């Protein structure tokens, strides 16, 4: 164990050296943006000693909130998909719903928001995946997504190159434990600090002890065998069950070498190992979300969103302070008058530039005068405005994105300028998506190992408001494949350990935001096409944020078939009415024709009718419906 501690300290020393620049810049940015430490300490002290103003008009939080709140409104979501023949879509939905439930129960949105806010403000942030008991009265385990409020307590792998940290082999999380707590938890252990950096020594007193949570991932090569039924087993597992497998007629048809990863977690003091445990997954469960990444000389630099806006902010503070100072000095301008004009009421004249008096008497014939106020110094105001414009140009966020009026007048122009602001900051949102994607990868790896054995779990739908409980099986005869039908509705048993699954992360508006957008667009559609209300009214109400909106949507949905039946009935009635008109018209024409037949010669009537049939006897008699006989006329 002593060797393990020394090796871990060597890795930590290297990580501290590699991250030193990033950590110093991140701390400076954090103090600048959040604590308002924007004046050089020597200049601030000098101005305060002289009684001069030293204003800080901090505009950085507004820019930071613009990016962070955009990420909150467009939080990426994890969607699981099946990969191989052993996986299926239904179980993938169980994975997705279980991950959503993990996010909900552990307040993962707080972890995500804290991580992206640190990435925007400092250049990088973190959260972590943990395992804890589901409750105090059970031994079932649940996964948790937890925030890391202090980014300076985490040291990542100094050799990492991947954007999502999935290649981390080592990582450290420092913790400062009170000495009394240390003695109670680890009786007999020596009080010895983990060798922290000077930065940590300056932030705490000596009432506790520094400990290090050390994560290490090791890799080993292993031979896997492919059997004749498609099963893949490790060589060691095959040897232990070789007799049974051969008796079942299974043979080895293929083999190859693979690399297996295993993770261990240690709690270290400066001289020993206090705790040790095997982590069930193959990834270190610390998730970084990075800001603007730059690689120079094989070293990674993470820049915050406000890094380049610090100088314009300092200039803005300076020129606003100068303007305030010059305007503040204007009322202190002295009175001017001839010698001896201030003898009477001299004490009042002495304080006339600071106090207000009802009247002042003067000596002599010429009244004292005061220089008039020339107005605010336009030069300093213009410089402050230029500094404000520089902040917008550097960040890419202009007045329209910040909610203020600008020179854009049309809605299209405002929308385009807002879109420019979104595009200029999208790489932070994209990095958040990468971090959440890696979180999903860690969860998919852990879920089959944590949610084992027969148990009931809650899963959530895409909206987060439609929970349901599903039954998990522990594998074996009960679950052949991913999901197995059992007796009774909703009694399926799912084995999450069967099949392989992958995920996608959809970055876009949240479910609530999408619902609001859909309702707005549907309202615009119905305004132009109100005839569609009976057919999509239920869908519109479903997206409305009303009390009992779902119940109203169900009632409207029940009315949709009735509307269709009513339309069919109306069409049938219209067709019947048209047919009746046609019959009436035919009868009227027939009556008119019969009246004409009585007045026309028989041959003319036959020609008009046009119903002569060749080869028919011409002596068939009279035309039906008339008193005219046509002997010798052709048949019809």
């Amino acid at each position: 164990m002593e060797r393990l501690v020394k090796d871990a300290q060597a890795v930590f020393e290297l990580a501290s050296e590699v991250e030193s620049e990033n950590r110093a810049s991140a701390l400076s940015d954090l103090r600048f943006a959040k604590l308002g430490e924007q004046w050089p300490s020597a200049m601030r002290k000098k101005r305060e000693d002289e009684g001069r103003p030293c204003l800080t008009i901090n505009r950085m939080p507004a820019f930071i909130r613009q990016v962070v709140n955009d990420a909150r409104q467009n939080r990426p979501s994890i969607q699981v998909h099946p990969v191989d023949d052993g996986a299926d879509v239904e179980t993938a939905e169980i994975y997705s719903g279980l991950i959503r439930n993990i996010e909900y129960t552990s307040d993962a949105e707080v972890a995500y928001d804290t991580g992206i806010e640190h990435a925007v403000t400092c250049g990088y942030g973190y959260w972590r995946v943990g395992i804890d008991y589901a409750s105090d009265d059970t031994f079932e385990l649940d996964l948790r997504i937890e925030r890391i409020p202090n980014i300076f307590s985490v040291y990542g792998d100094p050799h990492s190159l991947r954007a999502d940290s999935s290649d981390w082999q080592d990582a450290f999380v420092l913790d400062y434990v009170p000495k009394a707590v240390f003695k109670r938890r680890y009786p007999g252990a020596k009080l010895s600090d983990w060798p922290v950096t000077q930065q940590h020594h300056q932030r705490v007193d000596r009432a506790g002890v520094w400990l290090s949570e050390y994560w290490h991932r090791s890799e080993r090569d292993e031979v896997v065998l492919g059997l004749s039924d498609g099963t893949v087993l490790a060589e060691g597992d095959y040897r232990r069950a070789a007799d049974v497998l051969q008796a079942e007629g299974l043979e080895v048809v293929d083999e190859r070498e693979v690399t297996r990863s295993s993770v261990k977690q240690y709690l270290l003091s400066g001289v020993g190992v206090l705790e040790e445990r095997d982590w069930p997954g193959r990834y270190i469960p610390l998730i970084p979300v990075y800001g603007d990444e730059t690689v120079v000389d094989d070293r990674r630099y993470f820049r915050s969103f406000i890094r380049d806006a610090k100088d314009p902010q300092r200039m803005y503070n300076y020129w606003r302070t100068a303007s305030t100072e010059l305007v503040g000095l204007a009322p202190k301008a002295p009175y001017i008058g001839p010698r001896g004009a201030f003898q009477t009421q001299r004490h009042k004249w002495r304080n006339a530039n600071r106090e207000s008096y009802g009247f002042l008497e003067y000596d002599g014939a010429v009244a004292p005068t005061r220089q008039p106020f020339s107005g605010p110094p336009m030069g300093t105001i213009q410089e402050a405005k230029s500094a404000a414009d520089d902040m917008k140009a550097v960040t890419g966020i202009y007045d329209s994105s910040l909610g203020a009026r600008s020179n854009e007048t049309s809605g299209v122009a405002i929308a385009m300028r807002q879109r420019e602001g979104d595009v200029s900051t999208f790489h932070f949102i994209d990095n958040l998506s990468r971090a959440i994607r890696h979180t999903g990868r860690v969860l998919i790896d852990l879920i089959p190992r944590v949610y084992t054995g027969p148990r009931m779990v809650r899963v959530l739908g895409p909206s987060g408001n439609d929970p349901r409980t599903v039954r998990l099986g522990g594998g074996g005869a009960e679950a052949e494949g991913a999901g197995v039908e059992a007796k009774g509705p909703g009694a399926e048993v799912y084995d999450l350990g069967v099949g392989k699954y992958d995920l996608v992360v959809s970055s876009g508006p949240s479910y609530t935001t999408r619902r609001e957008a859909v309702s707005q667009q549907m309202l615009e559609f119905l305004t132009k096409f109100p005839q569609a209300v009976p057919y999509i009214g239920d869908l519109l109400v479903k997206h409305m944020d009303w009390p009992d909106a779902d119940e109203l949507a169900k009632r409207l949905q029940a009315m949709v078939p009735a509307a269709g039946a009513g339309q069919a009935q109306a069409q049938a009635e219209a067709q019947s009415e048209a047919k009746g008109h046609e019959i009436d018209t035919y009868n009227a024409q027939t009556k008119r024709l019969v009246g004409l037949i009585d007045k026309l010669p028989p041959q003319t009537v036959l020609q008009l009718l046009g119903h002569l049939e060749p080869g028919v006897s011409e002596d068939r008699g009279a035309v039906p419906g008339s008193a005219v006989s046509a002997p010798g006329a052709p048949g019809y």
Side-chain angles (χ1 to χ4, degrees):
M1 289 301 177
E2 183 179 351
R3 180 64 181 174
L4 172 68
V5 174
K6 289 184 179 180
D7 291 343
Q9 289 177 352
V11 177
F12 178 79
E13 184 178 356
L14 178 60
S16 301
E17 191 275 326
V18 169
E19 294 187 10
S20 59
E21 239 182 295
N22 284 328
R23 298 173 75 85
S25 299
L27 181 60
S28 174
D29 292 347
L30 183 63
R31 290 185 173 276
F32 186 93
K34 296 296 187 179
L35 302 183
E37 297 180 3
Q38 300 178 357
W39 285 82
S41 57
M43 181 179 293
R44 172 179 285 277
K45 184 177 184 309
K46 183 171 186 265
R47 294 179 72 90
E48 289 176 348
D49 291 343
E50 295 174 357
R52 300 174 61 188
C54 194
L55 304 181
T56 299
I57 305 174
N58 191 3
R59 304 189 69 180
M60 294 296 100
F63 290 99
I64 292 172
R65 285 194 296 268
Q66 180 64 29
V67 183
V68 173
N69 291 340
D70 185 42
R72 290 181 176 182
Q73 291 181 330
N74 300 274
R75 188 175 291 112
S77 59
I78 299 171
Q79 186 67 37
V80 180
H81 296 287
V83 174
D84 62 2
D85 295 337
D88 68 287
V89 175
E90 189 175 356
T91 307
E93 285 298 325
I94 299 301
Y95 263 100
S96 300
L98 182 55
I99 290 175
R100 282 189 286 267
N101 185 65
I102 292 170
E103 291 178 323
Y104 174 77
T105 56
S106 57
D107 288 333
E109 61 181 18
V110 177
Y112 297 157
D113 294 344
T114 303
I116 185 61
E117 184 163 4
H118 281 143
V120 174
T121 307
C122 306
Y124 58 92
Y126 298 99
W127 62 77
R128 66 187 300 168
V129 176
I131 301 176
D132 199 0
Y133 288 106
S135 61
D136 293 339
D137 56 354
T138 183
F139 288 94
E140 294 178 343
L141 298 173
D142 277 345
L143 292 172
R144 296 282 186 267
I145 299 175
E146 304 164 349
R147 77 171 188 148
I148 298 180
N150 180 16
I151 63 171
F152 302 105
S153 65
V154 180
Y155 291 79
D157 190 336
H159 303 292
S160 174
L161 294 176
R162 292 188 182 177
D164 58 5
S165 81
S166 59
D167 60 340
W168 276 14
Q169 302 294 114
D170 299 279
F172 302 85
V173 182
L174 302 189
D175 189 19
Y176 192 70
V177 179
K179 293 181 179 179
V181 175
F182 179 89
K183 292 178 181 179
R184 184 176 67 252
R185 289 181 183 174
Y186 312 107
K190 182 179 179 181
L191 277 169
S192 176
D193 280 319
W194 180 260
V196 297
T197 61
Q198 185 65 23
Q199 180 187 67
H200 293 286
H201 277 300
Q202 294 173 351
R203 297 171 54 210
V204 296
D205 53 25
R206 298 305 302 156
V209 57
W210 280 105
L211 303 179
S212 174
E213 178 186 348
Y214 174 46
W215 294 86
H216 177 68
R217 182 169 74 168
S218 58
E219 296 179 345
R220 69 183 188 279
D221 294 331
E222 185 177 89
V223 176
V224 294
L225 306 176
L227 304 186
S228 54
D229 66 344
T231 304
V232 178
L233 291 177
E235 185 178 27
D237 295 336
Y238 174 79
R239 288 178 178 175
R240 284 188 289 270
D243 295 339
V244 176
L245 295 173
Q246 291 174 4
E248 294 178 356
L250 297 179
E251 299 178 352
V252 177
V253 296
D254 198 3
E255 72 174 67
R256 68 186 183 94
E257 191 175 84
V258 298
T259 301
R260 302 289 192 188
S261 298
S262 60
V263 178
K264 297 202 74 169
Q265 179 188 19
Y266 304 92
L267 186 64
L268 308 179
S269 67
V271 294
V273 178
L274 303 175
E275 295 181 20
E276 175 183 353
R277 71 164 173 165
D278 294 323
W279 181 252
R282 59 193 178 99
Y283 298 104
I284 293 177
L286 301 174
I287 316 295
V289 50
Y290 296 127
D292 191 1
E293 180 187 13
T294 303
V295 179
V296 179
D297 294 334
D298 294 330
R299 180 165 292 193
R300 303 170 76 185
Y301 296 89
F302 302 108
R303 295 168 55 81
S304 69
F305 175 66
I306 56 98
R307 182 74 52 83
D308 294 328
K310 292 167 71 174
D311 282 343
Q313 174 67 69
R314 292 188 183 101
M315 293 301 298
Y316 186 79
N317 291 337
Y318 175 79
W319 289 115
R320 293 296 291 166
T321 299
S323 176
T324 302
E325 188 174 17
L326 292 173
V327 172
L329 288 174
K332 298 182 180 180
Y335 283 87
I336 300 176
R339 183 184 298 274
F342 306 104
Q343 295 302 320
T344 302
Q345 297 183 339
R346 188 176 183 84
H347 64 286
K348 288 186 177 181
W349 284 106
R350 191 187 306 278
N351 298 322
N353 63 338
R354 296 191 300 272
E355 299 181 15
S356 178
Y357 296 104
F359 63 92
L360 289 172
E361 297 180 355
Y362 63 93
D363 298 302
V366 181
T369 60
R370 194 177 205 174
Q371 295 297 318
F373 178 54
S374 58
M378 299 307 298
T380 58
I381 293 177
Q382 183 59 43
E383 289 296 334
K385 183 178 179 181
S386 298
D389 291 340
D390 289 341
M391 278 188 274
K392 300 171 192 174
V394 166
T395 59
I397 296 181
Y398 295 89
D399 292 337
S400 55
S401 296
L402 296 170
R405 293 182 61 87
S406 59
N407 58 354
E408 298 88 359
T409 56
S410 70
V412 175
I414 293 174
M416 290 301 294
R417 181 56 64 90
Q418 289 175 339
R419 178 172 175 79
E420 290 177 10
D422 293 341
V423 170
S424 66
T425 61
F426 185 74
H427 54 295
F428 287 93
I429 310 299
D430 198 37
N431 288 348
L432 175 63
S433 298
R434 290 195 184 102
I436 293 180
R437 185 184 301 115
H438 183 49
T439 303
R441 191 181 298 117
V442 172
L443 292 175
I444 290 177
D445 178 54
L446 287 171
I447 283 174
R449 297 175 171 90
V450 174
Y451 294 86
T452 58
R455 62 181 292 187
M456 304 295 290
V457 296
R458 185 179 69 171
V459 297
L460 301 180
S463 66
N465 296 323
D466 47 355
R468 64 189 180 100
T469 303
V470 299
R471 188 153 59 100
L472 302 182
E478 183 184 31
E480 297 178 3
V484 174
E485 292 287 341
K487 294 182 179 179
E492 296 85 357
V493 179
Y494 298 92
D495 185 359
L496 301 182
V498 176
K500 295 182 180 179
Y501 296 87
D502 201 352
L503 75 155
V504 295
V505 173
S506 58
S507 180
S510 63
Y511 181 82
T512 302
T513 304
R514 292 198 304 268
R515 185 177 62 180
E516 294 173 354
V518 167
S519 62
Q520 181 63 32
Q521 293 175 4
M522 291 178 71
L523 283 173
E524 294 177 359
F525 172 75
L526 292 177
T527 301
K528 298 178 181 179
F529 189 53
Q531 298 88 341
V533 172
Y535 306 102
I536 65 172
D538 59 319
L539 299 178
L540 172 62
V541 173
K542 186 184 295 185
H543 289 85
M544 293 294 186
D545 192 15
W546 295 345
D548 298 328
D550 292 339
E551 182 62 28
L552 179 57
K554 291 179 182 178
R555 296 186 182 186
L556 290 176
Q557 186 179 17
M559 296 173 61
V560 172
Q567 184 184 21
Q569 182 179 359
Q571 291 177 351
E573 291 176 355
Q575 292 175 358
S576 177
E577 184 178 358
K579 190 68 175 177
H581 285 305
E582 183 180 350
I583 293 173
D584 291 342
T585 302
Y586 179 79
N587 291 335
Q589 292 175 349
T590 303
K591 290 180 181 180
R592 183 181 178 190
L593 181 59
V594 170
L596 290 174
I597 287 175
D598 291 337
K599 301 177 181 180
L600 295 175
Q603 187 64 29
T604 303
V605 172
L606 294 174
Q607 291 176 354
L608 288 174
L609 291 174
H611 289 173
L612 300 178
E613 297 182 6
V616 179
S617 175
E618 296 182 0
D619 58 351
R620 294 187 56 179
V623 178
S626 86
V628 178
S629 296
Y636 60 91

